[in-house]
Amino acid sequence: MRFCFVLGFAAVTSAFYLAEQDEFHFKSWMAQHNKAYSMKEYYQRLQVFTENKKRIDRHNQGNHSFTMGLNQFSDMTFSEFQEAFLLSEPQNCSATKGNYFGSNGPHPDSIDWRKKGNYVTPVKDQGGCGSCWTFSTTGCLESVTAIATGKLVPLSEQQLVDCAQDFNNHGCNGGLPSQAFEYIMYNKGLMTEQDYPYTAMDGICVYKPTMAAAFVKNVMNITAYDEMGMVDAVATHNPVSLAFEVTSDFMHYSQGVYTSTNCHNTTDKVNHAVLAVGYGEENGTPYWIVKNSWGPKWGMDGYFLIHRGKNMCGLAACSSFPVV
Ligand SMILES: *[C@@H]1O[C@H](CO)[C@@H](O)[C@H](O)[C@H]1NC(C)=O
Ligand SMILES: *[C@@H]1O[C@H](CO)[C@@H](O)[C@H](O)[C@H]1NC(C)=O
Ligand SMILES: *[C@@H]1O[C@H](CO)[C@@H](O)[C@H](O)[C@H]1NC(C)=O
Ligand SMILES: *[C@@H]1O[C@H](CO)[C@@H](O)[C@H](O)[C@H]1NC(C)=O
């Protein structure tokens, strides 16, 4: 009897100790990310955070090519995250036959457009709006324009959110870079970030053609699943917009080469658009270097690496870039 009691007591104290530790981690994370909650929400968020942290710790004890870590999303469930940041419905992303025909190489072993010159703008933050596609679009057009003109100018996502509906884009509810390039081409221009600033909300189109700062002459769609075509485009031309499927493990990505068995490799599942700014290989694992739009604190200074050559998470399903 006494034995039981002692054991029970030890279990309670250690559970108490663990809960205290969880709260300690949560509070320091809250301070780091400037979070504040109502009393009721505090306990709910503490629980979600603790589950996420367990998952992260478990992942990091295993043998994986990437590590997970706490970040600004650590108090969210994946469905909340999905709702806030990802494309909610399947996009029309299937250039079954593209108009870009790359060569099979040989290509350089690695390329990083961030290091080749002043060709890539700092990482931006889309906030709580499903506008990833606009950041992938501006990121690509900024780089292509800078490579052509020598001038790197941040361009307007908000113009695409507000004005590009006629090309199957839906503002904060999603769209595709290829369709946004089409909009810019037919609309004859895109304004700068400074002249048409980002609000992370759907708004009324206030595009002023006289203030257009970047233009598109043609849109290059890379044939679906032609990942070698993407390599050729990045090696010989410029960074390339791509879309892929984000699943719950990606939300906690910290560093290393991301791979997943949770995601699909088909066009109908892609839910996030980003920008490939280069590629390389690490310990025999080929990867893409990808610019994200979740701020510079997420991942590797706002970037991530993802396995290259296996159409990982459908990343080769619908890639494109503009010609200026
Ligand atoms: C970890 O995984 C890599 C790649 O799958 C493998 O080569 C290596 O042997 C593994 N290491 C351990 C300690 O299991
Ligand atoms: C896909 O294309 C069809 C036909 O053009 C259009 O009606 C539909 O809204 C598009 N879907 C999305 C998600 O844009
Ligand atoms: C490229 O893709 C866009 C939308 O995904 C499409 O409207 C356009 O016709 C395609 N362009 C070519 C040349 O195939
Ligand atoms: C998708 O994955 C399946 C199963 O691994 C594979 O057989 C198929 O070739 C892949 N399809 C594409 C388009 O990458």
Side-chain angles (χ1 to χ4, degrees):
M1 194 60 214
R2 187 181 162 79
F3 184 64
C4 271
F5 175 78
V6 172
L7 255 188
F9 182 73
V12 167
T13 34
S14 89
F16 186 72
Y17 175 69
L18 282 179
E20 225 175 33
Q21 258 194 337
D22 290 342
E23 232 182 314
F24 171 79
H25 288 306
F26 185 50
K27 280 184 172 152
S28 63
W29 174 86
M30 277 177 68
Q32 197 186 336
H33 294 275
N34 292 317
K35 299 271 182 177
Y37 309 102
S38 68
M39 204 53 161
K40 180 163 166 254
E41 197 178 11
Y42 175 86
Y43 286 104
Q44 193 190 338
R45 292 294 148 199
L46 168 63
Q47 200 180 352
V48 173
F49 174 88
T50 302
E51 286 303 312
N52 281 336
K53 186 167 184 306
K54 268 190 207 150
R55 177 177 187 180
I56 291 166
D57 292 344
R58 220 181 308 123
H59 174 92
N60 291 343
Q61 279 156 18
N63 181 21
H64 299 282
S65 59
F66 74 102
T67 58
M68 291 186 177
L70 297 172
N71 58 32
Q72 71 265 43
F73 306 130
S74 302
D75 64 345
M76 298 175 95
T77 64
F78 182 63
S79 54
E80 288 169 335
F81 179 78
Q82 205 167 11
E83 174 91 3
F85 300 102
L86 302 177
L87 304 177
S88 49
E89 57 175 321
Q91 305 295 313
N92 289 321
C93 121
S94 57
T96 29
K97 269 223 178 75
N99 57 341
Y100 180 74
F101 303 100
S103 95
N104 282 334
H107 298 113
D109 293 338
S110 66
I111 292 278
D112 187 345
W113 282 99
R114 297 172 301 179
K115 295 185 179 149
K116 283 170 83 85
N118 192 23
Y119 297 136
V120 182
T121 59
V123 169
K124 303 181 191 181
D125 191 343
Q126 71 185 77
C129 164
S131 56
C132 56
W133 59 280
T134 68
F135 288 85
S136 173
T137 302
T138 56
C140 198
L141 184 55
E142 286 160 358
S143 293
V144 174
T145 305
I147 292 163
T149 66
K151 272 196 275 178
L152 182 66
V153 180
L155 297 172
S156 174
E157 291 80 28
Q158 195 63 40
Q159 181 185 334
L160 301 172
V161 169
D162 296 347
C163 312
Q165 284 82 350
D166 286 351
F167 294 80
N168 270 335
N169 300 303
H170 315 280
C172 286
N173 290 317
L176 279 179
S178 56
Q179 296 167 175
F181 295 136
E182 295 279 321
Y183 158 77
I184 299 165
M185 179 166 79
Y186 288 107
N187 179 65
K188 303 191 167 54
L190 186 65
M191 285 164 65
T192 64
E193 187 90 72
Q194 198 180 355
D195 289 338
Y196 200 149
Y198 188 62
T199 64
M201 285 186 294
D202 288 304
I204 291 166
C205 181
V206 290
Y207 172 57
K208 296 190 190 72
T210 54
M211 294 178 82
F215 304 89
V216 169
K217 276 197 197 124
N218 200 2
V219 182
M220 290 292 158
N221 298 324
I222 298 171
T223 301
Y225 309 126
D226 180 13
E227 199 166 351
M228 187 52 84
M230 293 169 67
V231 168
D232 185 74
V234 171
T236 60
H237 295 287
N238 44 253
V240 162
S241 287
L242 64 94
F244 71 112
E245 187 192 7
V246 167
T247 47
S248 63
D249 47 4
F250 188 76
M251 178 180 149
H252 307 296
Y253 172 90
S254 171
Q255 56 177 302
V257 181
Y258 177 77
T259 62
S260 180
T261 50
N262 296 332
C263 58
H264 303 81
N265 62 5
T266 47
T267 53
D268 59 326
K269 290 287 194 293
V270 304
N271 58 8
H272 189 47
V274 288
L275 181 70
V277 300
Y279 63 80
E281 193 168 319
E282 183 182 87
N283 307 325
T285 305
Y287 60 77
W288 288 106
I289 306 167
V290 187
K291 187 186 189 189
N292 202 352
S293 51
W294 296 342
K297 285 188 194 151
W298 181 87
M300 299 167 76
D301 299 320
Y303 284 80
F304 64 96
L305 308 178
I306 184 169
H307 198 288
R308 172 170 57 95
K310 292 200 290 199
N311 180 31
M312 181 57 68
C313 302
L315 66 80
C318 52
S319 56
S320 60
F321 64 92
V323 177
V324 300

